[in-house]
Amino acid sequence: MTFWKDAGFSYLKYVQVASRALRSVLKEEAKVQALKREDTVLKVSRWANGKQGELKFVDPKNQH
Amino acid sequence: MFSTAASAKAVSFLAGPLSTQTAGMATLKEIQIRRRSVQNIGKITKSMKMIASTKVPKAQKIMESARVYGAASNGLFQHAQTDFADSKKPLVIAISSDRGLCGGIHSSVSKAMKADLRKNPESTVVVLGQKVKIQLSREYRDNIALHFEQVAKTIPTWDETAAIADIILEKAKEEGVDSAKIFYNKFKTIIAFETTSIPTFTLEALEASPKLSTYEYDDGVLANFAQFAFANTLYWAVAEGNASEMAAKRTAMENATKNAGEVIAKLTLTFNRTRQAAITNELIDIIVGASAM
């Protein structure tokens, strides 16, 4: 049950990976709808001492 | 066709009140140019309003479903009577977006954040959206730990919010955060929103809840639930903020179109008056000239 926790994944990362897997095996029309929910262009920037860090793309596939 | 320049010269040595006509005649073209540009602006704001009005119901639907998830996971906290102890390391999260032209949405969140930061100047700050980041980074640069851009670019999705939540949770663990508050715009009606904050609880706060013993659970479930609840609450706040933004954008563009219409009406009147004054002056020239012969 907690193989993913032992591997160092947080619950949210585990859920994201599992949802991706589910979406990829759906049938055609449901898949098209579901893939729309995967669309993300999110960017994150980590700040240190009041200085903005580099804006990095949050890649949903590369979770670790 | 009489040359307006010639008439202008002829009229220029007439006294007082008519000298304003000279200025009027010379700017007939200017008034026309201005009127045309305001008309174009009016067309743009009108189409922006149309676009925003089509986005509002969609955003509202997403918000309704997000509410259900958010309310469900927060229900546990309410029943278990989870609460913050004195928080020594608070985290505040601001929900906004990168888009402008939507009324007072972003400034409202910034104001609420600043008021909170004045009370707790040691808080760690996370900002979703460029607009509030710009406003907060003037005074509170040192508090900002993370900021996100391109949030909910098309629509808010749980997947994206979960990714954000995950990054925030990692950072919160690094900093030893013990409580979190999310500032967002709650969608009240299509013309009204309210900036409020909602608390989210850490695993420790959940475990310390007075009524937690009324629940039965397996080991490890609470940790998962705390993360899931945080993602739900964040998704709820992002969805509400998104709906408020679309509604505010619609209202702002509607007002802009209305104002543009008023400016056009005023300019049209000025233009007509100026044109008529020019014609009257030319007539005077002719009559005076004719009577002199």
Side-chain angles (χ1 to χ4, degrees):
Chain A
M1 236 286 257
T2 55
F3 61 91
W4 44 271
K5 210 174 221 165
D6 301 330
F9 278 62
S10 66
Y11 175 71
L12 290 176
K13 284 204 175 102
Y14 160 63
V15 160
Q16 280 188 279
V17 172
S19 342
R20 284 202 147 247
L22 178 60
R23 280 186 213 118
S24 64
V25 300
L26 288 174
K27 280 193 183 165
E28 268 317 309
E29 31 166 294
K31 191 172 186 175
V32 163
Q33 294 297 322
L35 285 182
K36 285 196 197 139
R37 291 193 285 271
E38 260 182 25
D39 260 334
T40 173
V41 287
L42 184 68
K43 291 211 176 93
V44 68
S45 151
R46 293 163 203 276
W47 290 50
N49 303 325
K51 280 230 175 52
Q52 183 175 327
E54 183 203 337
L55 267 173
K56 271 194 238 148
F57 176 55
V58 176
D59 189 351
K61 294 201 198 75
N62 179 16
Q63 291 287 25
H64 237 283
Chain B
M1 190 53 207
F2 296 100
S3 144
T4 45
S7 333
K9 283 209 195 97
V11 174
S12 62
F13 52 88
L14 288 172
L18 283 182
S19 59
T20 50
Q21 308 292 21
T22 320
M25 274 190 284
T27 60
L28 208 60
K29 197 72 182 160
E30 283 174 26
I31 299 176
Q32 225 173 4
I33 293 172
R34 188 146 179 248
R35 188 173 169 278
R36 191 152 305 148
S37 83
V38 175
Q39 222 169 14
N40 288 337
I41 292 173
K43 285 193 198 137
I44 294 172
T45 55
K46 189 169 182 195
S47 65
M48 286 183 84
K49 177 197 154 204
M50 293 287 154
I51 296 174
S53 355
T54 55
K55 288 197 177 162
V56 172
K58 199 170 167 194
Q60 263 186 289
K61 220 170 63 153
I62 296 177
M63 178 189 70
E64 301 289 324
S65 66
R67 248 184 211 168
V68 174
Y69 276 86
S73 51
N74 280 308
L76 170 64
F77 294 128
Q78 277 170 12
H79 287 133
Q81 295 177 356
T82 323
D83 204 355
F84 297 136
D86 281 310
S87 176
K88 288 187 199 60
K89 252 280 173 183
L91 170 70
V92 274
I93 304 170
I95 309 283
S96 74
S97 75
D98 303 342
R99 296 172 284 247
L101 294 179
C102 37
I105 290 276
H106 305 302
S107 345
S108 194
V109 169
S110 299
K111 231 189 331 183
M113 287 282 283
K114 283 184 188 166
D116 190 84
L117 280 167
R118 256 173 260 134
K119 277 190 259 159
N120 310 306
E122 293 303 310
S123 314
T124 315
V125 170
V126 170
V127 183
L128 272 69
Q130 212 178 40
K131 293 286 169 180
V132 168
K133 167 213 122 186
I134 293 172
Q135 290 174 15
L136 280 184
S137 63
R138 286 198 198 109
E139 270 180 77
Y140 294 103
R141 288 201 84 91
D142 297 318
N143 298 61
I144 302 181
L146 286 173
H147 96 267
F148 295 87
E149 288 190 12
Q150 314 275 37
V151 180
K153 181 100 198 241
T154 45
I155 46 164
T157 60
W158 197 90
D159 215 64
E160 190 182 67
T161 319
I164 297 174
D166 200 37
I167 297 177
I168 295 179
L169 283 172
E170 264 183 67
K171 195 64 168 169
K173 203 155 146 206
E174 263 176 56
E175 308 255 327
V177 161
D178 58 5
S179 73
K181 253 194 301 198
I182 304 177
F183 283 90
Y184 69 106
N185 291 310
K186 193 177 181 69
F187 181 93
K188 273 172 42 192
T189 67
I190 198 162
I191 52 170
F193 66 89
E194 190 187 355
T195 311
T196 51
S197 74
I198 188 171
T200 71
F201 301 100
T202 56
L203 177 61
E204 290 76 25
L206 176 59
E207 280 171 345
S209 314
K211 290 250 170 89
L212 191 61
S213 50
T214 55
Y215 289 92
E216 246 182 60
Y217 50 90
D218 293 332
D219 290 328
V221 164
L222 275 189
N224 297 345
F225 179 78
Q227 292 184 34
F228 182 58
F230 179 57
N232 278 348
T233 315
L234 197 63
Y235 177 54
W236 181 16
V238 170
E240 292 245 3
N242 186 258
S244 306
E245 182 190 321
M246 291 301 144
K249 185 173 288 187
R250 194 201 139 270
T251 313
M253 290 298 104
E254 185 174 29
N255 290 337
T257 313
K258 206 164 34 145
N259 293 339
E262 284 169 17
V263 172
I264 290 172
K266 221 171 50 159
L267 282 173
T268 310
L269 279 174
T270 315
F271 179 78
N272 284 333
R273 253 186 276 121
T274 312
R275 189 177 49 87
Q276 286 160 359
I279 293 172
T280 310
N281 287 325
E282 286 173 12
L283 280 174
I284 292 175
D285 295 342
I286 298 167
I287 293 166
V288 164
S291 69
M293 296 211 285

